[in-house]
Amino acid sequence: MSLETSTLGGAAVLLLCVYAASCAISSRRKYSGIPKANPRLPFLGNAGSLDMSRCHIVLAEWAKRFGPVFRIKIFAEEILVLSSYESVHDALVQKNAAFAGRPPMYRTSQQNRNKHSVVWQTYTPKLQFLRRETAQTLKVYGGGLDLLEQRCAPELQRMRNRIQREAKAGRSFDPFDVIYDAVCNVMLRITLDTNFEHEATIFKTIRDMNRLFNDTFSSGSATALDLLPWLCELRGHDYANRLKQALKMRDDFWEKELTALKERQCKEGVVPRMLQFIATDKGKKHDITEDTAKEVFTNLILAGTDTTSTALTCLLLLFLHYPEVQEKMRAELSDSSDKQSMPKLSGLNNMPYSQAVLLELLRYISHVPLAVPHYTMYDTSVLGIPVPKDMTVYVNLWSIHHDRLHWPEPWTFKPNRFLDSEGNIYPPTHPIRRKLLAFGAGRRVCLGEAFAKHRLFIFALFLVKHFRFLPSDEDNRANRLPPVDPRTYEMGLVLHPHRFHLKAEIIQ
Ligand code: HEM
């Protein structure tokens, strides 16, 4: 090596060191007002001590030490963690525009998903347009109460037939797929205007795809893909492979259904409506393409199925542990004037206990524990703590929903916490109900909140009306029950209980 080359090499290393040091100093200054979680290791930051497979639980523990607003460092990235109702309300509601972004992520940049998605796109005029249009279409094709009942009716009947078969044969069964297929078919109807039989292989495909997306998009272990994408690609990381597989399955599915939809010349539903925009001025202005329709479809199918079917499965699991809850719901249902086979949404106000059960279900399981990561759009603050622009924010809904200060005995399922002394449900403005943020808050609040609450109610009441749910024979013999505590659930974007079996008894 010549003297000149080695001098140049030395200068380059020196420059790199100076650059790294100045980055470290400016980063330290940028975040200095925010308490940090300690200890941090060089290079790893907090990644060494943060068990990513249960990070919502660990972060809730850390909040007890570092306060409701603190930051963690995962490799090079500083992430803000909000863990109390007050801090989340201040950020997402009071400073809603500042916290409305989504972070740039390797995972969401694949196939430009972050340019077309409702869930993963940052806060742009296009996102606002998509949110408005999708909400409107959901209302037209599924949202109105009578319409939603009509959309659900055939699915409830199919679900009933499947459970009845098991009940008549006296068999124990795993309820997850049965519920998933029914909930998913409602979403398929609303998005693609289809009507599949439950035996169709399509549901297995969607369930498999759902599992892959759920694993690879959580704020848990799969975050490695965003932080060290080159390493994951290079080493053929399990999550990188699973993400590729999920996208491939999604694309194959989409191509097939889009062709079928065009052949049917279908005009109803979220996807046909989105496709109609493509040739319009609005569509051109917002760069609406078939990719946009594909993304919005994926968002709705996954967000609209996994959340609700998991909530219902958890409800059945809770019935095994708290049998009096299903009996009380059933009693309330038969006391109400509604004697038809399908519970009516108009009867909701006469069923305060059932409403309280569903609210407590959303609190207790908190099945989207870290919401979807937010991102700051400009310099801002939370509870007086300065927060810089371009910072990823984890909203720990799990921590808020299990905070002993607001929810005494947080690990006990107690619907009565939402009822007054006369058994009336607290109004949505009541301080206790306001602390339930299962659907997030502010500009990125769940797009399907009203739809989800109503559908959850129809499905839950229908199940209770037609069946009594009991432990499986095997569990009875072993004198045990499958675990219900959400701290045992598997981490993903949506938390899932471990699969379990139960028995159903037909209510005559
Ligand atoms: C029990 C049911 C559900 C729960 C608990 C739930 C919860 C959530 C949560 C916590 C978020 C993230 C909010 C944030 O980023 O701060 C979210 C976002 C979203 N949800 Fe839901 N959800 C449910 C059902 C649904 C349904 C049925 C749909 C569709 C019909 C839906 C569509 C969406 C969409 C599109 C977003 C992204 C909104 C955005 O980024 O602007 N969800 N949901």
mmCIF file of all heavy atoms in Angstrom, residues 92 102 118-121 127 131 138 187 299-300 303-305 307-308 311 362 367-368 371-374 395 397 437-441 443-449 451-453 455-456, ligand 1:
data_model
loop_
_atom_site.group_PDB
_atom_site.id
_atom_site.type_symbol
_atom_site.label_atom_id
_atom_site.label_comp_id
_atom_site.label_asym_id
_atom_site.label_seq_id
_atom_site.Cartn_x
_atom_site.Cartn_y
_atom_site.Cartn_z
ATOM 1 N N LEU A 92 -52.460 12.311 21.018
ATOM 2 C CA LEU A 92 -53.323 11.933 19.882
ATOM 3 C C LEU A 92 -54.563 12.817 19.730
ATOM 4 O O LEU A 92 -55.104 12.934 18.631
ATOM 5 C CB LEU A 92 -53.763 10.465 20.007
ATOM 6 C CG LEU A 92 -52.664 9.401 20.032
ATOM 7 C CD1 LEU A 92 -53.255 8.023 19.801
ATOM 8 C CD2 LEU A 92 -51.584 9.660 18.987
ATOM 9 N N ARG A 102 -47.171 8.107 10.183
ATOM 10 C CA ARG A 102 -46.699 6.720 10.362
ATOM 11 C C ARG A 102 -45.231 6.720 9.995
ATOM 12 O O ARG A 102 -44.822 7.390 9.022
ATOM 13 C CB ARG A 102 -47.434 5.759 9.425
ATOM 14 C CG ARG A 102 -48.924 5.617 9.674
ATOM 15 C CD ARG A 102 -49.231 4.723 10.852
ATOM 16 N NE ARG A 102 -50.648 4.470 10.992
ATOM 17 C CZ ARG A 102 -51.321 4.571 12.129
ATOM 18 N NH1 ARG A 102 -50.716 4.930 13.247
ATOM 19 N NH2 ARG A 102 -52.605 4.300 12.185
ATOM 20 N N VAL A 118 -54.069 2.706 3.778
ATOM 21 C CA VAL A 118 -54.682 3.554 4.816
ATOM 22 C C VAL A 118 -53.906 3.359 6.117
ATOM 23 O O VAL A 118 -53.594 4.317 6.810
ATOM 24 C CB VAL A 118 -56.164 3.176 5.038
ATOM 25 C CG1 VAL A 118 -56.760 4.010 6.164
ATOM 26 C CG2 VAL A 118 -56.975 3.379 3.775
ATOM 27 N N VAL A 119 -53.570 2.129 6.427
ATOM 28 C CA VAL A 119 -52.950 1.847 7.730
ATOM 29 C C VAL A 119 -51.513 2.359 7.784
ATOM 30 O O VAL A 119 -51.094 2.958 8.771
ATOM 31 C CB VAL A 119 -52.972 0.324 8.022
ATOM 32 C CG1 VAL A 119 -52.335 0.026 9.369
ATOM 33 C CG2 VAL A 119 -54.388 -0.224 7.988
ATOM 34 N N TRP A 120 -50.754 2.165 6.705
ATOM 35 C CA TRP A 120 -49.307 2.376 6.785
ATOM 36 C C TRP A 120 -48.814 3.667 6.175
ATOM 37 O O TRP A 120 -47.627 3.983 6.237
ATOM 38 C CB TRP A 120 -48.568 1.185 6.143
ATOM 39 C CG TRP A 120 -48.935 -0.111 6.785
ATOM 40 C CD1 TRP A 120 -49.672 -1.113 6.237
ATOM 41 C CD2 TRP A 120 -48.632 -0.518 8.124
ATOM 42 N NE1 TRP A 120 -49.840 -2.124 7.144
ATOM 43 C CE2 TRP A 120 -49.212 -1.789 8.304
ATOM 44 C CE3 TRP A 120 -47.931 0.060 9.186
ATOM 45 C CZ2 TRP A 120 -49.104 -2.488 9.511
ATOM 46 C CZ3 TRP A 120 -47.829 -0.629 10.375
ATOM 47 C CH2 TRP A 120 -48.419 -1.896 10.522
ATOM 48 N N GLN A 121 -49.703 4.419 5.528
ATOM 49 C CA GLN A 121 -49.272 5.660 4.894
ATOM 50 C C GLN A 121 -49.173 6.757 5.949
ATOM 51 O O GLN A 121 -49.998 6.832 6.860
ATOM 52 C CB GLN A 121 -50.310 6.054 3.839
ATOM 53 C CG GLN A 121 -49.923 7.236 3.026
ATOM 54 C CD GLN A 121 -50.860 7.391 1.815
ATOM 55 O OE1 GLN A 121 -50.715 8.293 1.032
ATOM 56 N NE2 GLN A 121 -51.829 6.530 1.632
ATOM 57 N N LEU A 127 -53.876 10.256 2.050
ATOM 58 C CA LEU A 127 -54.375 9.448 3.171
ATOM 59 C C LEU A 127 -55.729 9.990 3.644
ATOM 60 O O LEU A 127 -56.671 9.221 3.869
ATOM 61 C CB LEU A 127 -53.338 9.470 4.296
ATOM 62 C CG LEU A 127 -53.515 8.658 5.574
ATOM 63 C CD1 LEU A 127 -54.259 9.351 6.670
ATOM 64 C CD2 LEU A 127 -54.126 7.277 5.327
ATOM 65 N N ARG A 131 -59.117 7.850 3.701
ATOM 66 C CA ARG A 131 -59.870 7.632 4.944
ATOM 67 C C ARG A 131 -61.323 8.061 4.745
ATOM 68 O O ARG A 131 -62.252 7.345 5.115
ATOM 69 C CB ARG A 131 -59.250 8.422 6.107
ATOM 70 C CG ARG A 131 -58.153 7.684 6.864
ATOM 71 C CD ARG A 131 -57.816 8.387 8.185
ATOM 72 N NE ARG A 131 -58.911 8.338 9.132
ATOM 73 C CZ ARG A 131 -58.937 7.572 10.228
ATOM 74 N NH1 ARG A 131 -57.915 6.812 10.532
ATOM 75 N NH2 ARG A 131 -59.978 7.595 11.027
ATOM 76 N N LEU A 138 -67.825 2.286 3.627
ATOM 77 C CA LEU A 138 -68.182 1.340 4.696
ATOM 78 C C LEU A 138 -69.595 1.630 5.185
ATOM 79 O O LEU A 138 -70.374 0.726 5.475
ATOM 80 C CB LEU A 138 -67.217 1.476 5.870
ATOM 81 C CG LEU A 138 -65.915 0.688 5.820
ATOM 82 C CD1 LEU A 138 -65.089 0.968 7.065
ATOM 83 C CD2 LEU A 138 -66.199 -0.812 5.716
ATOM 84 N N MET A 187 -66.536 -9.124 5.602
ATOM 85 C CA MET A 187 -65.589 -8.159 5.018
ATOM 86 C C MET A 187 -65.446 -8.359 3.510
ATOM 87 O O MET A 187 -65.359 -7.401 2.753
ATOM 88 C CB MET A 187 -64.201 -8.275 5.673
ATOM 89 C CG MET A 187 -64.113 -7.853 7.115
ATOM 90 S SD MET A 187 -65.006 -6.355 7.521
ATOM 91 C CE MET A 187 -64.132 -5.110 6.608
ATOM 92 N N ASN A 299 -55.933 -3.871 3.770
ATOM 93 C CA ASN A 299 -56.130 -3.234 5.083
ATOM 94 C C ASN A 299 -57.454 -3.664 5.708
ATOM 95 O O ASN A 299 -57.510 -4.054 6.881
ATOM 96 C CB ASN A 299 -56.193 -1.705 4.959
ATOM 97 C CG ASN A 299 -54.887 -1.061 4.546
ATOM 98 O OD1 ASN A 299 -54.885 0.067 4.082
ATOM 99 N ND2 ASN A 299 -53.757 -1.761 4.697
ATOM 100 N N LEU A 300 -58.516 -3.581 4.913
ATOM 101 C CA LEU A 300 -59.838 -3.848 5.481
ATOM 102 C C LEU A 300 -60.031 -5.320 5.809
ATOM 103 O O LEU A 300 -60.599 -5.674 6.846
ATOM 104 C CB LEU A 300 -60.940 -3.364 4.543
ATOM 105 C CG LEU A 300 -60.998 -1.846 4.356
ATOM 106 C CD1 LEU A 300 -62.170 -1.464 3.471
ATOM 107 C CD2 LEU A 300 -61.134 -1.125 5.696
ATOM 108 N N ALA A 303 -57.488 -5.885 8.953
ATOM 109 C CA ALA A 303 -57.871 -5.129 10.160
ATOM 110 C C ALA A 303 -59.306 -5.457 10.551
ATOM 111 O O ALA A 303 -59.643 -5.489 11.736
ATOM 112 C CB ALA A 303 -57.720 -3.635 9.912
ATOM 113 N N GLY A 304 -60.153 -5.697 9.558
ATOM 114 C CA GLY A 304 -61.567 -5.903 9.858
ATOM 115 C C GLY A 304 -61.915 -7.321 10.251
ATOM 116 O O GLY A 304 -63.015 -7.580 10.727
ATOM 117 N N THR A 305 -61.005 -8.265 10.055
ATOM 118 C CA THR A 305 -61.337 -9.651 10.399
ATOM 119 C C THR A 305 -60.619 -10.103 11.665
ATOM 120 O O THR A 305 -61.237 -10.590 12.613
ATOM 121 C CB THR A 305 -60.962 -10.603 9.231
ATOM 122 O OG1 THR A 305 -61.620 -10.173 8.054
ATOM 123 C CG2 THR A 305 -61.387 -12.024 9.538
ATOM 124 N N THR A 307 -59.120 -8.606 14.187
ATOM 125 C CA THR A 307 -59.487 -7.959 15.453
ATOM 126 C C THR A 307 -60.804 -8.520 15.995
ATOM 127 O O THR A 307 -60.872 -8.967 17.144
ATOM 128 C CB THR A 307 -59.664 -6.449 15.221
ATOM 129 O OG1 THR A 307 -60.441 -6.274 14.026
ATOM 130 C CG2 THR A 307 -58.334 -5.750 15.064
ATOM 131 N N THR A 308 -61.829 -8.519 15.143
ATOM 132 C CA THR A 308 -63.164 -8.902 15.622
ATOM 133 C C THR A 308 -63.242 -10.400 15.899
ATOM 134 O O THR A 308 -63.835 -10.823 16.903
ATOM 135 C CB THR A 308 -64.225 -8.493 14.583
ATOM 136 O OG1 THR A 308 -64.107 -7.080 14.385
ATOM 137 C CG2 THR A 308 -65.621 -8.823 15.050
ATOM 138 N N ALA A 311 -61.502 -11.054 19.120
ATOM 139 C CA ALA A 311 -62.301 -10.583 20.265
ATOM 140 C C ALA A 311 -63.398 -11.599 20.589
ATOM 141 O O ALA A 311 -63.607 -11.954 21.762
ATOM 142 C CB ALA A 311 -62.904 -9.219 19.951
ATOM 143 N N LEU A 362 -62.870 -5.529 25.454
ATOM 144 C CA LEU A 362 -61.883 -4.725 24.713
ATOM 145 C C LEU A 362 -60.786 -4.213 25.645
ATOM 146 O O LEU A 362 -59.620 -4.121 25.268
ATOM 147 C CB LEU A 362 -62.573 -3.548 24.011
ATOM 148 C CG LEU A 362 -63.541 -3.927 22.884
ATOM 149 C CD1 LEU A 362 -64.330 -2.713 22.403
ATOM 150 C CD2 LEU A 362 -62.799 -4.565 21.712
ATOM 151 N N HIS A 367 -56.397 -6.152 22.488
ATOM 152 C CA HIS A 367 -55.731 -7.025 21.527
ATOM 153 C C HIS A 367 -54.982 -6.320 20.403
ATOM 154 O O HIS A 367 -54.395 -6.974 19.555
ATOM 155 C CB HIS A 367 -56.651 -8.124 21.015
ATOM 156 C CG HIS A 367 -57.925 -7.635 20.417
ATOM 157 N ND1 HIS A 367 -58.707 -6.725 21.023
ATOM 158 C CD2 HIS A 367 -58.537 -7.951 19.259
ATOM 159 C CE1 HIS A 367 -59.754 -6.501 20.274
ATOM 160 N NE2 HIS A 367 -59.665 -7.222 19.187
ATOM 161 N N VAL A 368 -54.968 -4.968 20.394
ATOM 162 C CA VAL A 368 -54.001 -4.271 19.517
ATOM 163 C C VAL A 368 -53.114 -3.477 20.497
ATOM 164 O O VAL A 368 -53.242 -2.269 20.630
ATOM 165 C CB VAL A 368 -54.692 -3.344 18.495
ATOM 166 C CG1 VAL A 368 -53.715 -2.919 17.398
ATOM 167 C CG2 VAL A 368 -55.914 -4.018 17.876
ATOM 168 N N ALA A 371 -51.147 -0.332 19.435
ATOM 169 C CA ALA A 371 -51.818 0.320 18.304
ATOM 170 C C ALA A 371 -50.975 0.105 17.038
ATOM 171 O O ALA A 371 -50.343 -0.942 16.879
ATOM 172 C CB ALA A 371 -52.062 1.800 18.591
ATOM 173 N N VAL A 372 -50.950 1.082 16.154
ATOM 174 C CA VAL A 372 -50.050 1.049 14.989
ATOM 175 C C VAL A 372 -49.057 2.184 15.281
ATOM 176 O O VAL A 372 -49.482 3.237 15.759
ATOM 177 C CB VAL A 372 -50.847 1.307 13.683
ATOM 178 C CG1 VAL A 372 -49.920 1.328 12.475
ATOM 179 C CG2 VAL A 372 -51.936 0.251 13.495
ATOM 180 N N PRO A 373 -47.754 1.997 15.014
ATOM 181 C CA PRO A 373 -46.814 3.060 15.387
ATOM 182 C C PRO A 373 -47.184 4.410 14.746
ATOM 183 O O PRO A 373 -47.583 4.460 13.590
ATOM 184 C CB PRO A 373 -45.468 2.567 14.835
ATOM 185 C CG PRO A 373 -45.646 1.115 14.597
ATOM 186 C CD PRO A 373 -47.095 0.867 14.383
ATOM 187 N N HIS A 374 -47.071 5.464 15.553
ATOM 188 C CA HIS A 374 -47.296 6.828 15.042
ATOM 189 C C HIS A 374 -45.941 7.478 14.746
ATOM 190 O O HIS A 374 -44.886 6.924 15.074
ATOM 191 C CB HIS A 374 -48.068 7.653 16.083
ATOM 192 C CG HIS A 374 -49.517 7.296 16.162
ATOM 193 N ND1 HIS A 374 -50.515 8.175 15.815
ATOM 194 C CD2 HIS A 374 -50.150 6.149 16.529
ATOM 195 C CE1 HIS A 374 -51.691 7.583 15.971
ATOM 196 N NE2 HIS A 374 -51.504 6.345 16.414
ATOM 197 N N VAL A 395 -47.772 3.806 21.112
ATOM 198 C CA VAL A 395 -48.873 4.154 22.009
ATOM 199 C C VAL A 395 -49.242 2.876 22.751
ATOM 200 O O VAL A 395 -49.827 1.965 22.153
ATOM 201 C CB VAL A 395 -50.070 4.667 21.168
ATOM 202 C CG1 VAL A 395 -51.274 4.923 22.040
ATOM 203 C CG2 VAL A 395 -49.672 5.931 20.402
ATOM 204 N N LEU A 397 -51.440 1.018 24.473
ATOM 205 C CA LEU A 397 -52.840 0.895 24.914
ATOM 206 C C LEU A 397 -52.956 -0.149 26.012
ATOM 207 O O LEU A 397 -53.767 -0.050 26.933
ATOM 208 C CB LEU A 397 -53.726 0.498 23.728
ATOM 209 C CG LEU A 397 -53.765 1.490 22.551
ATOM 210 C CD1 LEU A 397 -54.614 0.934 21.417
ATOM 211 C CD2 LEU A 397 -54.311 2.836 22.989
ATOM 212 N N LEU A 437 -59.451 3.119 25.305
ATOM 213 C CA LEU A 437 -59.001 3.605 23.989
ATOM 214 C C LEU A 437 -58.691 2.424 23.056
ATOM 215 O O LEU A 437 -57.686 2.420 22.363
ATOM 216 C CB LEU A 437 -57.746 4.476 24.152
ATOM 217 C CG LEU A 437 -57.899 5.786 24.910
ATOM 218 C CD1 LEU A 437 -56.561 6.502 25.020
ATOM 219 C CD2 LEU A 437 -58.908 6.698 24.220
ATOM 220 N N ALA A 438 -59.563 1.429 23.078
ATOM 221 C CA ALA A 438 -59.282 0.202 22.311
ATOM 222 C C ALA A 438 -59.103 0.479 20.821
ATOM 223 O O ALA A 438 -58.446 -0.294 20.120
ATOM 224 C CB ALA A 438 -60.408 -0.800 22.520
ATOM 225 N N PHE A 439 -59.706 1.567 20.328
ATOM 226 C CA PHE A 439 -59.624 1.861 18.899
ATOM 227 C C PHE A 439 -58.652 3.009 18.610
ATOM 228 O O PHE A 439 -58.641 3.558 17.517
ATOM 229 C CB PHE A 439 -61.018 2.205 18.366
ATOM 230 C CG PHE A 439 -61.988 1.057 18.475
ATOM 231 C CD1 PHE A 439 -62.774 0.883 19.604
ATOM 232 C CD2 PHE A 439 -62.087 0.130 17.454
ATOM 233 C CE1 PHE A 439 -63.647 -0.180 19.718
ATOM 234 C CE2 PHE A 439 -62.961 -0.945 17.555
ATOM 235 C CZ PHE A 439 -63.743 -1.106 18.684
ATOM 236 N N GLY A 440 -57.824 3.365 19.592
ATOM 237 C CA GLY A 440 -56.920 4.498 19.428
ATOM 238 C C GLY A 440 -57.706 5.794 19.571
ATOM 239 O O GLY A 440 -58.840 5.807 20.099
ATOM 240 N N ALA A 441 -57.146 6.899 19.086
ATOM 241 C CA ALA A 441 -57.815 8.205 19.203
ATOM 242 C C ALA A 441 -57.194 9.159 18.196
ATOM 243 O O ALA A 441 -56.124 8.896 17.657
ATOM 244 C CB ALA A 441 -57.643 8.748 20.622
ATOM 245 N N ARG A 443 -56.536 11.585 14.863
ATOM 246 C CA ARG A 443 -56.667 11.521 13.398
ATOM 247 C C ARG A 443 -56.467 10.130 12.817
ATOM 248 O O ARG A 443 -56.880 9.873 11.704
ATOM 249 C CB ARG A 443 -55.679 12.480 12.748
ATOM 250 C CG ARG A 443 -55.994 13.904 13.129
ATOM 251 C CD ARG A 443 -55.466 14.880 12.136
ATOM 252 N NE ARG A 443 -55.770 16.218 12.645
ATOM 253 C CZ ARG A 443 -55.547 17.328 11.984
ATOM 254 N NH1 ARG A 443 -55.018 17.270 10.785
ATOM 255 N NH2 ARG A 443 -55.846 18.485 12.509
ATOM 256 N N ARG A 444 -55.801 9.239 13.547
ATOM 257 C CA ARG A 444 -55.607 7.880 13.039
ATOM 258 C C ARG A 444 -56.462 6.872 13.802
ATOM 259 O O ARG A 444 -56.158 5.671 13.809
ATOM 260 C CB ARG A 444 -54.128 7.480 13.121
ATOM 261 C CG ARG A 444 -53.174 8.363 12.371
ATOM 262 C CD ARG A 444 -53.561 8.606 10.920
ATOM 263 N NE ARG A 444 -53.434 7.472 10.045
ATOM 264 C CZ ARG A 444 -52.431 7.280 9.186
ATOM 265 N NH1 ARG A 444 -51.449 8.150 9.131
ATOM 266 N NH2 ARG A 444 -52.421 6.243 8.386
ATOM 267 N N VAL A 445 -57.517 7.350 14.440
ATOM 268 C CA VAL A 445 -58.395 6.418 15.168
ATOM 269 C C VAL A 445 -58.875 5.342 14.192
ATOM 270 O O VAL A 445 -58.992 5.597 12.986
ATOM 271 C CB VAL A 445 -59.588 7.196 15.805
ATOM 272 C CG1 VAL A 445 -60.531 7.739 14.742
ATOM 273 C CG2 VAL A 445 -60.333 6.330 16.804
ATOM 274 N N CYS A 446 -59.144 4.149 14.713
ATOM 275 C CA CYS A 446 -59.583 3.037 13.863
ATOM 276 C C CYS A 446 -60.698 3.477 12.924
ATOM 277 O O CYS A 446 -61.703 4.040 13.360
ATOM 278 C CB CYS A 446 -60.083 1.902 14.764
ATOM 279 S SG CYS A 446 -60.872 0.586 13.850
ATOM 280 N N LEU A 447 -60.516 3.205 11.668
ATOM 281 C CA LEU A 447 -61.486 3.615 10.650
ATOM 282 C C LEU A 447 -62.793 2.825 10.773
ATOM 283 O O LEU A 447 -63.842 3.278 10.345
ATOM 284 C CB LEU A 447 -60.869 3.371 9.269
ATOM 285 C CG LEU A 447 -61.512 4.028 8.086
ATOM 286 C CD1 LEU A 447 -61.434 5.532 8.196
ATOM 287 C CD2 LEU A 447 -60.807 3.590 6.813
ATOM 288 N N GLY A 448 -62.710 1.653 11.368
ATOM 289 C CA GLY A 448 -63.899 0.797 11.426
ATOM 290 C C GLY A 448 -64.527 0.765 12.809
ATOM 291 O O GLY A 448 -65.268 -0.173 13.113
ATOM 292 N N GLU A 449 -64.279 1.769 13.650
ATOM 293 C CA GLU A 449 -64.711 1.681 15.053
ATOM 294 C C GLU A 449 -66.215 1.409 15.207
ATOM 295 O O GLU A 449 -66.608 0.439 15.850
ATOM 296 C CB GLU A 449 -64.315 2.960 15.816
ATOM 297 C CG GLU A 449 -64.819 2.938 17.249
ATOM 298 C CD GLU A 449 -64.328 4.102 18.100
ATOM 299 O OE1 GLU A 449 -63.571 4.950 17.584
ATOM 300 O OE2 GLU A 449 -64.704 4.139 19.287
ATOM 301 N N PHE A 451 -68.452 0.465 13.006
ATOM 302 C CA PHE A 451 -68.780 -0.785 12.327
ATOM 303 C C PHE A 451 -68.378 -1.974 13.205
ATOM 304 O O PHE A 451 -69.154 -2.914 13.414
ATOM 305 C CB PHE A 451 -68.000 -0.785 11.006
ATOM 306 C CG PHE A 451 -68.127 -2.030 10.201
ATOM 307 C CD1 PHE A 451 -69.167 -2.185 9.308
ATOM 308 C CD2 PHE A 451 -67.205 -3.054 10.328
ATOM 309 C CE1 PHE A 451 -69.287 -3.334 8.554
ATOM 310 C CE2 PHE A 451 -67.308 -4.205 9.576
ATOM 311 C CZ PHE A 451 -68.356 -4.345 8.685
ATOM 312 N N ALA A 452 -67.161 -1.914 13.755
ATOM 313 C CA ALA A 452 -66.638 -3.028 14.558
ATOM 314 C C ALA A 452 -67.477 -3.238 15.821
ATOM 315 O O ALA A 452 -67.810 -4.378 16.166
ATOM 316 C CB ALA A 452 -65.191 -2.744 14.944
ATOM 317 N N LYS A 453 -67.840 -2.136 16.479
ATOM 318 C CA LYS A 453 -68.610 -2.268 17.732
ATOM 319 C C LYS A 453 -69.971 -2.902 17.453
ATOM 320 O O LYS A 453 -70.421 -3.784 18.177
ATOM 321 C CB LYS A 453 -68.815 -0.892 18.359
ATOM 322 C CG LYS A 453 -67.606 -0.377 19.101
ATOM 323 C CD LYS A 453 -67.958 0.963 19.689
ATOM 324 C CE LYS A 453 -66.823 1.566 20.458
ATOM 325 N NZ LYS A 453 -66.994 3.014 20.609
ATOM 326 N N ARG A 455 -70.865 -4.786 14.849
ATOM 327 C CA ARG A 455 -70.757 -6.182 14.389
ATOM 328 C C ARG A 455 -70.417 -7.102 15.555
ATOM 329 O O ARG A 455 -70.936 -8.212 15.663
ATOM 330 C CB ARG A 455 -69.722 -6.285 13.275
ATOM 331 C CG ARG A 455 -69.792 -7.620 12.569
ATOM 332 C CD ARG A 455 -68.885 -7.688 11.395
ATOM 333 N NE ARG A 455 -67.539 -7.224 11.705
ATOM 334 C CZ ARG A 455 -66.483 -7.464 10.938
ATOM 335 N NH1 ARG A 455 -66.625 -8.141 9.830
ATOM 336 N NH2 ARG A 455 -65.294 -7.012 11.269
ATOM 337 N N LEU A 456 -69.557 -6.601 16.438
ATOM 338 C CA LEU A 456 -69.190 -7.391 17.625
ATOM 339 C C LEU A 456 -70.446 -7.708 18.446
ATOM 340 O O LEU A 456 -70.663 -8.835 18.887
ATOM 341 C CB LEU A 456 -68.205 -6.557 18.459
ATOM 342 C CG LEU A 456 -67.371 -7.238 19.513
ATOM 343 C CD1 LEU A 456 -66.556 -8.357 18.903
ATOM 344 C CD2 LEU A 456 -66.429 -6.230 20.190
HETATM 345 C C1 HEM B 1 -62.555 -5.108 17.812
HETATM 346 C C2 HEM B 1 -62.273 -4.583 16.661
HETATM 347 C C3 HEM B 1 -61.185 -3.574 16.374
HETATM 348 C C4 HEM B 1 -60.235 -3.017 17.184
HETATM 349 C C5 HEM B 1 -60.003 -3.256 18.671
HETATM 350 C C6 HEM B 1 -59.451 -2.112 16.367
HETATM 351 C C7 HEM B 1 -58.394 -1.352 16.829
HETATM 352 C C8 HEM B 1 -57.624 -0.502 16.048
HETATM 353 C C9 HEM B 1 -56.493 0.249 16.514
HETATM 354 C C10 HEM B 1 -55.972 0.268 17.943
HETATM 355 C C11 HEM B 1 -55.990 0.923 15.453
HETATM 356 C C12 HEM B 1 -54.757 1.830 15.441
HETATM 357 C C13 HEM B 1 -55.111 3.246 15.809
HETATM 358 C C14 HEM B 1 -53.868 4.120 15.893
HETATM 359 O O1 HEM B 1 -52.994 3.996 15.057
HETATM 360 O O2 HEM B 1 -53.769 4.902 16.835
HETATM 361 C C15 HEM B 1 -56.801 0.597 14.297
HETATM 362 C C16 HEM B 1 -56.588 1.110 13.028
HETATM 363 C C17 HEM B 1 -57.361 0.780 11.945
HETATM 364 N N1 HEM B 1 -58.468 -0.048 11.922
HETATM 365 FE FE1 HEM B 1 -59.262 -1.000 13.501
HETATM 366 N N2 HEM B 1 -59.938 -2.135 15.088
HETATM 367 C C18 HEM B 1 -61.004 -3.002 15.047
HETATM 368 C C19 HEM B 1 -61.787 -3.313 13.941
HETATM 369 C C20 HEM B 1 -61.644 -2.756 12.697
HETATM 370 C C21 HEM B 1 -62.535 -2.994 11.583
HETATM 371 C C22 HEM B 1 -63.775 -3.872 11.633
HETATM 372 C C23 HEM B 1 -62.034 -2.281 10.523
HETATM 373 C C24 HEM B 1 -62.576 -2.168 9.123
HETATM 374 C C25 HEM B 1 -63.818 -2.262 8.807
HETATM 375 C C26 HEM B 1 -60.827 -1.612 10.971
HETATM 376 C C27 HEM B 1 -60.019 -0.828 10.175
HETATM 377 C C28 HEM B 1 -58.924 -0.110 10.633
HETATM 378 C C29 HEM B 1 -58.098 0.725 9.770
HETATM 379 C C30 HEM B 1 -58.257 0.917 8.261
HETATM 380 C C31 HEM B 1 -57.120 1.294 10.601
HETATM 381 C C32 HEM B 1 -56.000 2.246 10.183
HETATM 382 C C33 HEM B 1 -56.440 3.706 10.366
HETATM 383 C C34 HEM B 1 -55.336 4.685 9.986
HETATM 384 O O3 HEM B 1 -54.178 4.327 9.998
HETATM 385 O O4 HEM B 1 -55.665 5.845 9.665
HETATM 386 N N3 HEM B 1 -60.626 -1.923 12.298
HETATM 387 N N4 HEM B 1 -57.809 -0.269 14.684
#
